[in-house]
Amino acid sequence: MPEPPDTSDVEEDEPFNNAGNQPLQPTSTRSMYALTRREMARGIANRFVHSRTYILLYLGMAALSVTTVVLSLQDGCPGLPFYVLEVIINSSMILEVSVRFIAFGRQFWRSPFNVFDLMLTVFCATTLLVLAFAGCGATSKEEELLDTLLLIARNVLQFGRLASVMRQCASCGSLFR
């Protein structure tokens, strides 16, 4: 009868030393109560959407929007500060709508305010592109008037949205205390 091989130098928990020929079970270090990355992102986004910081962000965007209207009316041609502020405002709006989309998931589409904000964001980005590519000096008075009307329309829509956000916000009454 042949002798069994010497296994005294082999550890028992090595995967290749499966003497009992039993299937190895992977051990999970994750609890069944742990959150997925998607759930964590949704939780963080929900916290942000229902915070004072969110309202302050919206107020800041409104103030910057008014500043851009003043800058566009002040000079014949908008300068670099105007475009920098416009990029900041548009980036903030895109970020804000994206955060709400993450926070609400499929519920995002059920609110008319969210759909309105998405359309407003597209409108604002389009306005920025029109203003950036229209050039200055070579435009007619009609084009300058259109640019100003687009900015004013955007600001009216933004202030309407700000008013609805402030109305829905339960903690806004204590925001300025």
Side-chain angles (χ1 to χ4, degrees), residues 98-159:
S98 301
V99 166
R100 270 193 290 132
F101 184 75
I102 291 169
F104 299 138
R106 291 182 181 165
Q107 299 292 325
F108 178 87
W109 301 108
R110 294 188 180 172
S111 169
F113 286 113
N114 291 334
V115 176
F116 172 75
D117 278 347
L118 185 61
M119 291 188 309
L120 178 63
T121 303
V122 170
F123 178 70
C124 291
T126 305
T127 302
L128 178 63
L129 291 174
V130 166
L131 293 174
F133 291 116
C136 192
T139 59
S140 66
K141 286 290 185 190
E142 292 84 17
E143 288 176 349
E144 288 180 25
L145 181 64
L146 175 66
D147 294 346
T148 304
L149 288 176
L150 285 174
L151 282 174
I152 292 172
R154 184 199 67 192
N155 284 312
V156 167
L157 293 172
Q158 260 188 328
F159 281 112

